[in-house]
Amino acid sequence: MADLERRDAIPVLYTRGTHYTVGFDVGRTFGSLIQSLLEKSVTLNETYIPLFNTEKGRKIYVDTYESVNKSFPQYIRELQGIADGAKVDFYKLFLLHMDDIITGGQDGTNQPVGCSTICVNEPDCVVLGHTEDALAEVLNHFYFVSAHIISETPEGKHGVVEERFTSLCYAGHLPGYTMNANHHGLVFSINTLSAKTLVGGKTPSDGSVLVAVVPARHFITRALLAAENFDQAQEILRDHGVGAGDGCSINMTFLKQEGDRLFHNAEMGPATNGSIESQLNILTASPGEHIVHVNSYQRLPVPEVTGLIIESSVERIQTFGKYPPPKTVADVVRMLSDTTGSNHRVFRDREGGRSQKVKTICVGIIDCIKRTWTLYADNPANVAPLVELPLLLKN
């Protein structure tokens, strides 16, 4: 199948129902995009599925599935709904959500994924800006889901009854792992972090019952969409009793926060060395401060992979360092549009005349004062915004 040139389009689905019916509507509506991404995904077809077909890989899959189903059965039903609606195999979607947990970690040479986030906290500019970077095959395979989910009884380990959110989603993926906003006023973005040691299942030293570790990058951030305040957000990220199987960075603020506006960057690391909760380090930006984060641990002492994801992070941070501290929306847009990097640009499309393994599939600007979410399908330096969505809050 020939690659499709970058499209200046993004579909939006508004849906309401149970976790399964919302998932089914997503799968039914975007089935062709989901089927196309599964067909194009080199990592899925050449790495994850062959490992899934081995005894070791199948055990990691089963252990992880059982752990997720115990903590978040509602999100398993939601993912099953996506699979049923799109008429694709559930196990393939679950493998995508496991990421490299099924491999036990890689050397990073084939992990050029990532994102760049800038949070500005000025009196007249409160903005979260984000480049959504993904493997090139994801280009044109994403959409918005705006969902309202009400359960008859409390769901999952956090006892959630109602969720209402808007999330940018890769085709076939649960909401939560890109740019997001919920009706409690939480807005957040994700930067992939690649710990060297990942955990798919672990056994206590006394040889008792197996405790599997859930994949952080999708199920924990999916749970974050239900958070009502910062304390709940921290509880979800720590995931006490189990803990994350891998790591990521979460940039967030609450629109309905009392007192001074605060931005937080949470670096989350896997629950290694017998721990039963995620490693977590939180940096807070008060008024007059800003946060820049990419795809490497800046504070949490987690051993990382080597390779493109780290090399790219180093160069993007160097590029941002050439700018004065951002104070306005225009500053954020200018920095996220930057293409001056010699090897790894901030806005990634074509570098040195050659196509890239990773591309910036879109850029989002969440304005916390105007309460709007602006999305660009191409480099903001060259195109007008594609859409501006309102941020809808409860009550």
Side-chain angles (χ1 to χ4, degrees):
M1 183 184 296
D3 290 336
L4 188 67
E5 65 180 9
R6 182 186 290 270
R7 309 306 302 166
D8 201 23
I10 177 170
V12 184
L13 173 67
Y14 293 91
T15 176
R16 178 173 58 214
T18 66
H19 286 278
Y20 178 84
T21 58
V22 163
F24 185 88
D25 287 338
V26 170
R28 176 177 175 270
T29 303
F30 301 119
S32 62
L33 288 176
I34 295 169
Q35 294 166 17
S36 174
L37 184 59
L38 292 182
E39 180 182 342
K40 286 177 173 290
S41 177
V42 175
T43 304
L44 173 67
N45 293 300
E46 295 186 6
T47 302
Y48 296 165
I49 291 178
L51 285 171
F52 171 78
N53 289 325
T54 67
E55 182 179 355
K56 180 180 178 181
R58 185 68 61 91
K59 185 179 188 308
I60 294 175
Y61 177 99
V62 170
D63 288 346
T64 305
Y65 174 89
E66 290 179 350
S67 176
V68 174
N69 194 43
K70 182 178 180 180
S71 294
F72 306 117
Q74 72 272 35
Y75 302 142
I76 291 292
R77 295 198 305 274
E78 190 174 320
L79 191 61
Q80 185 66 61
I82 295 173
D84 292 348
K87 299 180 180 178
V88 300
D89 294 322
F90 171 87
Y91 83 92
K92 293 181 180 179
L93 298 186
F94 194 80
L95 284 172
L96 289 177
H97 287 74
M98 287 181 68
D99 276 332
D100 283 335
I101 281 181
I102 196 165
T103 72
Q106 294 189 0
D107 61 4
T109 57
N110 294 311
Q111 295 186 24
V113 295
C115 299
S116 302
T117 301
I118 301 174
C119 302
V120 174
N121 194 6
E122 295 292 329
D124 55 353
C125 178
V126 183
V127 166
L128 187 156
H130 183 78
T131 65
E132 191 57 50
D133 300 342
L135 292 171
E137 62 209 23
V138 178
L139 186 68
N140 304 318
H141 291 83
F142 59 94
Y143 41 77
F144 274 119
V145 171
S146 185
H148 188 190
I149 302 172
I150 300 178
S151 303
E152 293 184 358
T153 58
E155 295 269 20
K157 69 187 297 181
H158 301 295
V160 178
V161 174
E162 181 183 18
E163 293 182 274
R164 193 166 191 173
F165 57 80
T166 300
S167 177
L168 184 76
C169 303
Y170 297 169
H173 290 66
L174 290 171
Y177 194 64
T178 55
M179 292 177 269
N180 314 271
N182 75 10
H183 69 161
H184 299 298
L186 168 63
V187 297
F188 67 97
S189 69
I190 304 297
N191 312 116
T192 293
L193 300 177
S194 291
K196 189 173 184 179
T197 301
L198 307 183
V199 189
K202 58 185 179 181
T203 303
S205 58
D206 62 2
S208 59
V209 179
L210 174 71
V211 179
V213 180
V214 305
R217 295 182 183 181
H218 295 280
F219 292 98
I220 289 181
T221 58
R222 172 63 186 86
L224 195 59
L225 282 170
E228 298 184 21
N229 52 56
F230 186 51
D231 287 341
Q232 284 189 10
Q234 292 180 82
E235 179 185 355
I236 290 167
L237 295 176
R238 291 191 187 281
D239 196 49
H240 183 76
V242 185
D246 53 16
C248 64
S249 159
I250 304 94
N251 312 277
M252 57 184 159
T253 190
F254 282 86
L255 301 182
K256 298 169 70 174
Q257 178 177 307
E258 296 182 0
D260 289 339
R261 165 78 58 210
L262 300 174
F263 275 100
H264 310 281
N265 171 262
E267 291 185 348
M268 181 174 67
T272 54
N273 300 322
S275 175
I276 57 171
E277 68 177 30
S278 311
Q279 301 176 67
L280 200 64
N281 181 290
I282 296 176
L283 171 70
T284 297
S286 299
E289 299 176 339
H290 71 282
I291 292 174
V292 173
H293 210 284
V294 287
N295 306 108
S296 60
Y297 285 100
Q298 297 177 11
R299 304 178 308 277
L300 200 61
V302 173
E304 298 179 271
V305 299
T306 58
L308 292 175
I309 191 168
I310 302 302
E311 295 166 7
S312 170
S313 295
V314 169
E315 186 161 355
R316 280 178 283 149
I317 287 293
Q318 290 174 345
T319 297
F320 289 143
K322 297 176 183 178
Y323 288 87
K327 302 288 185 181
T328 66
V329 174
D331 291 342
V332 175
V333 170
R334 188 177 304 111
M335 292 169 71
L336 296 181
S337 304
D338 192 284
T339 57
T340 62
S342 57
N343 294 308
H344 303 286
R345 299 176 175 180
V346 175
F347 187 93
R348 296 189 268 184
D349 193 15
R350 298 185 65 84
E351 300 180 15
R354 54 192 172 85
S355 183
Q356 292 299 102
K357 294 176 66 175
V358 63
K359 293 182 183 292
T360 300
I361 62 174
C362 61
V363 176
I365 303 292
I366 297 178
D367 191 317
C368 300
I369 295 177
K370 295 181 178 179
R371 294 186 176 179
T372 57
W373 184 350
T374 303
L375 195 89
Y376 298 82
D378 206 334
N379 193 322
N382 304 324
V383 300
L386 179 60
V387 65
E388 183 176 274
L389 298 176
L391 299 178
L392 303 178
L393 304 183
K394 193 172 185 178
N395 300 326

